[in-house]
Amino acid sequence: KIARDVKSAGVEAAFLASSEVTSALANAGVRVPRCFHADLRPCPSDPIESSFALVLEDFAPAQGWHQEKLLNPAQARAVLSTLARMHATFTHAASAARGDNGKLQHKLASAVWPAGAYWQPKMQPADQMITVAAIWRDTHLPKFAKAFQETLTGDIQWETLGERLQAVAVEVGDASHPFGLDAPNGNETVGEFAKWRTLIHGDAKAANVFLRQATEAAGKEQEEYGWEIGLIDFQWMGFGLGVVDAAHVIAASVDPVGLGFAPGETSGASLRDGTFDDTAAADLLTHYHDEFINASVANGAAVSIEAARTAWPIEEAAAQYDAAILDFARCVFGYQWVRVGASPASLKEAADSFNKNSYNKSLPNAMWLVRECDAALRRRQP
């Protein structure tokens, strides 16, 4: 774990120090902190002795920047748009359109993880894949059963969720993180995932986003949704599926209204009373996909919207989303909820936290994640 964490610090430093990569992001309308100075001193023989120093631009309140505990619907769309433009910049098709003989991709590969995202199975304890069922049964059900009974509809099989999630854990882990972490595995260039392979943030959440009201100077992309977005914290940045970033934003950062709950709701009761909008999350995924398609046409990766939708169909993105939700839930239920001692009471106590993810500080968001996992598991059934 120490070697992994040290390398993650080196990844952030190398990424921000790469002027070619950050310039490509700037050209796509993706804002990351400017790096004024970088001093990278890795020590492969003794990783704990490695040191990295960065002098970065500050997303300062004096310049209008701020953070939110959770993202409202407009802010969530702005963040998903930003990620979509980043993802569209680093696909194989975008690289071919640049005609730089893969120079930018090679520069990127030397800086970031071969496979990004901190919760991927290869960066988590191996037993996490086989303990979710027992943890769900013995730890989470005693604490959340009353909330599940009062909030979730009768068709949601929450009692057996851990068992069903564990049964697909390996499969969805492989589908969500198909590229080799320690060495290339062939999926990078061949197969169903190769065309989707791109740079992902790997920890895209509200705590790693700065926002400010967009002005005309911010550019059309930010103006459309009223917010300019700045991204931070690139320790887990690497190659992966862009939809995995999008799913993480939806699951970890969107406020209850953005997921379909009634304004001001604190319990998740609208899941039972008929006022819940069960299309809200799907609409966010569609928004992300539309923005990715538009950006892919804009950068020359596809000749038309129709061609882009054929190359990167929404049906494949939806299947990737389901796998990503389930894979992420494995880490939430198998590790994160255990670590924080999650319960309805603990979520309420953490409501004002900026750093905690939504399912650790909002009961509606936690209920939504359970409901979304159940729905994704059903959609995977033949």
Side-chain angles (χ1 to χ4, degrees):
K1 185 179 186 299
I2 291 176
R4 184 198 73 174
D5 291 348
V6 168
K7 182 174 180 179
S8 74
V11 164
E12 175 153 29
F15 166 73
L16 290 171
S18 173
S19 59
E20 297 95 333
V21 174
T22 55
S23 292
L25 289 173
N27 290 337
V30 179
R31 184 74 176 267
V32 300
R34 286 176 293 170
C35 181
F36 299 115
H37 178 73
D39 187 355
L40 284 60
R41 303 182 186 183
C43 183
S45 61
D46 189 2
I48 198 65
E49 295 300 320
S50 300
S51 60
F52 310 95
L54 295 170
V55 180
L56 301 176
E57 174 189 14
D58 183 17
F59 289 133
Q63 297 174 341
W65 294 102
H66 76 282
Q67 290 186 286
E68 296 282 356
K69 299 183 185 74
L70 292 173
L71 305 172
N72 69 32
Q75 293 165 346
R77 281 174 167 75
V79 171
L80 290 169
S81 296
T82 297
L83 290 171
R85 292 194 301 275
M86 181 179 81
H87 298 153
T89 301
F90 295 102
T91 61
H92 289 303
S95 178
R98 278 191 294 271
D100 64 355
N101 295 317
K103 180 181 178 182
L104 182 61
Q105 296 289 84
H106 179 75
K107 184 70 176 180
L108 186 62
S110 69
V112 303
W113 291 96
Y118 72 87
W119 67 91
Q120 61 178 289
K122 289 184 180 179
M123 287 191 182
Q124 295 293 318
D127 65 358
Q128 196 177 99
M129 311 298 284
I130 58 173
T131 57
V132 176
I135 290 171
W136 183 260
R137 181 189 66 238
D138 300 335
T139 301
H140 301 324
L141 281 184
K143 295 179 179 179
F144 282 96
K146 185 173 184 290
F148 292 156
Q149 291 168 347
E150 294 176 349
T151 305
L152 301 176
T153 54
D155 60 320
I156 298 175
Q157 302 171 32
W158 49 266
E159 299 97 331
T160 61
L161 186 66
E163 179 183 343
R164 290 183 293 137
L165 186 58
Q166 182 171 305
V168 301
V170 172
E171 180 184 349
V172 297
D174 290 344
S176 295
H177 312 281
F179 310 119
L181 178 61
D182 301 315
N185 61 12
N187 290 334
E188 293 82 3
T189 55
V190 177
E192 63 179 305
F193 297 115
K195 65 185 178 183
W196 293 93
R197 182 176 180 263
T198 188
L199 176 70
I200 66 172
H201 184 282
D203 193 12
K205 59 185 181 181
N208 291 334
V209 169
F210 278 80
L211 307 100
R212 70 178 174 187
Q213 291 285 345
T215 64
E216 186 175 344
K220 180 180 178 182
E221 297 90 348
Q222 289 83 7
E223 261 191 286
E224 186 174 356
Y225 300 100
W227 295 99
E228 186 177 358
I229 302 301
L231 301 176
I232 64 167
D233 193 350
F234 307 102
Q235 290 179 292
W236 307 110
M237 180 164 267
F239 289 97
L241 305 176
V243 172
V244 169
D245 266 350
H248 190 264
V249 169
I250 295 169
S253 301
V254 179
D255 72 12
V257 173
L259 296 179
F261 292 94
E265 189 168 348
T266 59
S267 68
S270 64
L271 288 170
R272 292 189 70 94
D273 66 18
T275 60
F276 179 76
D277 178 6
D278 62 5
T279 66
D283 287 346
L284 289 174
L285 178 63
T286 298
H287 168 78
Y288 164 80
H289 183 258
D290 287 345
E291 294 290 275
F292 174 83
I293 293 298
N294 292 337
S296 296
V297 174
N299 68 24
V303 297
S304 67
I305 295 293
E306 292 74 18
R309 291 191 181 281
T310 299
W312 298 283
I314 185 62
E315 293 80 8
E316 290 184 16
Q320 291 172 18
Y321 169 84
D322 280 350
I325 287 291
L326 294 171
D327 178 65
F328 184 54
R330 174 263 309 160
C331 187
V332 173
F333 301 145
Y335 168 65
Q336 294 186 26
W337 270 14
V338 176
R339 180 172 59 87
V340 303
S343 69
S346 76
L347 270 58
K348 184 176 180 179
E349 291 173 1
D352 290 330
S353 169
F354 276 88
N355 191 48
K356 290 183 183 295
N357 286 345
S358 62
Y359 47 79
N360 287 331
K361 62 184 178 184
S362 165
L363 187 58
N365 288 76
M367 296 299 102
W368 176 88
L369 183 58
V370 172
R371 181 185 187 274
E372 194 74 348
C373 282
D374 181 78
L377 284 164
R378 294 186 194 201
R379 288 191 290 264
R380 292 181 67 82
Q381 292 176 348

